[in-house]
Amino acid sequence: MPTPFETPPNEQPSTYVVQDRSNQQELERLQIQDQLVTTAMGGVLPEQADPEKFRRILDIGCGPGGWLIETARTYPGISTLVGVDASQSIITAARTKAQAQGLAARVEFHVQDALRMLEFPTSYFDLVNLRFGQSWIRTWDWPRMLSEMQRVCRPGGIVRIVEGELAAENNSPALTRFCQHMVEAFFQAGHLFSQESASVANHLPDLLSRYGCLHVQSHKYSPEFRAGTSAAEAYREDIRFLVYTLRPFLQKRGCLPADYETLSQQVLADLKEPTFQIHGHLFIVWGQAPERG
Ligand SMILES: C[S@@+](CC[C@H](N)C(=O)[O-])C[C@H]1O[C@@H](n2cnc3c(N)ncnc32)[C@H](O)[C@@H]1O
């Protein structure tokens, strides 16, 4: 039985910022983050004019399946929704949730390392989605990832990517410092194109166009969370888990400050202040898969 940080045979070492694929705290955090983000963006596919026209959807690095399950619930006309993730325990949680909601006939989840290949036929999906991939995709992985996304998408289908910034404008100096360490570690690990919080989001429109997508469009959402709201409470919960789950990554990248425990406590205290507020940005970039030559 491998220890949590050992890579089982035939499995590539994880590039995800939380290396331990069975980390339960990360599983819980992802469920909180999913609902927070989907609500902040006004739904699962807010920018698509007619989501009912999609028949088959793929979600890459789907986490515990919240986005895909909500998509199935919102659009009953979508017949097949498939999620892939590298973590067996995350996929098990996603399957359990789909079953509990009576959606298992339409929603399926598979363990796959999407950095190797997407194990689906060419032109199979109408929409291929990827949310928060910068947490495991390095800058040099994007060309192959975009080419695989387009391969499994039918010509004219949608390749869709959602990213956030890593450090949002807020009124807690401790949170700002924590986020700066995070940006530095992401950059050191090759996940950012430059040491800037929205570096991946800013590159996405150009990346999609450069690697073959047609009619690339983008949209920015700018949610604000204020103390006393359920969104601010959910955000605090997210950060409460994140300061633990991200610690080994910050340490590995040499970005763990000596006062990390004190800093984390200060962040959580600030997020409880009645004056706390944060104003972030979320970016959707999408384009059409081209005809194959
Ligand atoms: C930040 S989470 C985002 C989850 C989900 N997309 C969401 O937005 O709620 C990133 C997910 O990517 C998964 N992941 C990491 N490396 C992966 C890989 N090589 N192939 C597939 N999934 C991967 C992680 O296990 C994790 O569930």
Side-chain angles (χ1 to χ4, degrees), residues 161-224:
I161 301 183
V162 175
E163 274 305 343
E165 56 187 357
L166 293 172
E169 194 187 318
N170 74 91
N171 60 355
S172 158
L175 179 62
T176 300
R177 232 188 97 208
F178 169 72
C179 292
Q180 280 163 354
H181 293 302
M182 191 159 65
V183 170
E184 197 187 333
F186 269 64
F187 181 63
Q188 295 286 342
H191 295 259
L192 303 182
F193 292 91
S194 61
Q195 202 169 317
E196 286 165 314
S197 148
S199 123
V200 171
N202 290 339
H203 272 73
L204 280 174
D206 180 51
L207 278 176
L208 262 70
S209 299
R210 191 151 24 115
Y211 294 105
C213 284
L214 306 173
H215 312 298
V216 174
Q217 299 179 61
S218 60
H219 193 87
K220 181 161 90 169
Y221 292 81
S222 304
E224 202 172 296

Side-chain angles (χ1 to χ4, degrees), residues 18-263:
V18 180
Q19 290 255 290
D20 170 11
R21 286 187 165 121
S22 52
N23 187 312
Q24 285 303 302
Q25 288 182 318
E26 180 62 0
L27 175 62
E28 278 193 57
R29 188 190 76 75
L30 289 177
Q31 302 188 61
I32 295 165
Q33 178 185 263
D34 161 56
Q35 292 199 353
L36 182 66
V37 169
T38 298
T39 307
M41 293 177 69
V44 281
L45 289 166
E47 81 293 353
Q48 296 296 320
D50 183 14
E52 291 280 1
K53 72 177 183 226
F54 302 122
R55 288 290 158 266
R56 294 181 187 146
I57 290 189
L58 173 67
D59 189 22
I60 303 169
C62 61
W67 181 84
L68 207 59
I69 289 171
E70 191 51 36
T71 304
R73 279 159 45 99
T74 312
Y75 302 108
I78 302 176
S79 56
T80 306
L81 301 99
V82 182
V84 295
D85 199 283
S87 158
Q88 176 68 66
S89 61
I90 282 180
I91 287 297
T92 302
R95 280 184 189 144
T96 305
K97 202 188 306 172
Q99 265 157 12
Q101 300 200 21
L103 292 166
R106 292 167 56 219
V107 185
E108 56 189 79
F109 294 99
H110 303 283
V111 179
Q112 272 185 30
D113 180 347
L115 285 176
R116 300 181 93 176
M117 72 175 291
L118 298 171
E119 295 168 38
F120 299 103
T122 298
S123 303
Y124 191 70
F125 295 100
D126 301 302
L127 181 136
V128 178
N129 187 62
L130 169 64
R131 191 169 77 173
F132 301 144
Q134 69 183 358
S135 59
W136 53 279
I137 299 172
R138 285 97 26 111
T139 52
W140 53 90
D141 296 319
W142 279 105
R144 188 174 151 75
M145 177 57 63
L146 288 168
S147 135
E148 269 296 274
M149 289 176 81
Q150 289 173 71
R151 181 186 65 77
V152 298
C153 192
R154 68 164 172 79
I158 303 291
V159 169
R160 176 185 192 264
I161 301 183
V162 175
E163 274 305 343
E165 56 187 357
L166 293 172
E169 194 187 318
N170 74 91
N171 60 355
S172 158
L175 179 62
T176 300
R177 232 188 97 208
F178 169 72
C179 292
Q180 280 163 354
H181 293 302
M182 191 159 65
V183 170
E184 197 187 333
F186 269 64
F187 181 63
Q188 295 286 342
H191 295 259
L192 303 182
F193 292 91
S194 61
Q195 202 169 317
E196 286 165 314
S197 148
S199 123
V200 171
N202 290 339
H203 272 73
L204 280 174
D206 180 51
L207 278 176
L208 262 70
S209 299
R210 191 151 24 115
Y211 294 105
C213 284
L214 306 173
H215 312 298
V216 174
Q217 299 179 61
S218 60
H219 193 87
K220 181 161 90 169
Y221 292 81
S222 304
E224 202 172 296
F225 306 144
R226 287 174 181 271
T229 61
S230 55
E233 188 49 41
Y235 181 76
R236 184 176 186 277
E237 276 299 285
D238 184 336
I239 298 291
R240 189 169 71 79
F241 284 114
L242 193 64
V243 294
Y244 286 105
T245 60
L246 212 61
R247 196 183 197 285
F249 175 68
L250 294 178
Q251 185 156 34
K252 183 174 172 187
R253 294 296 159 188
C255 302
L256 190 76
D259 65 343
Y260 190 70
E261 307 310 327
T262 316
L263 178 67

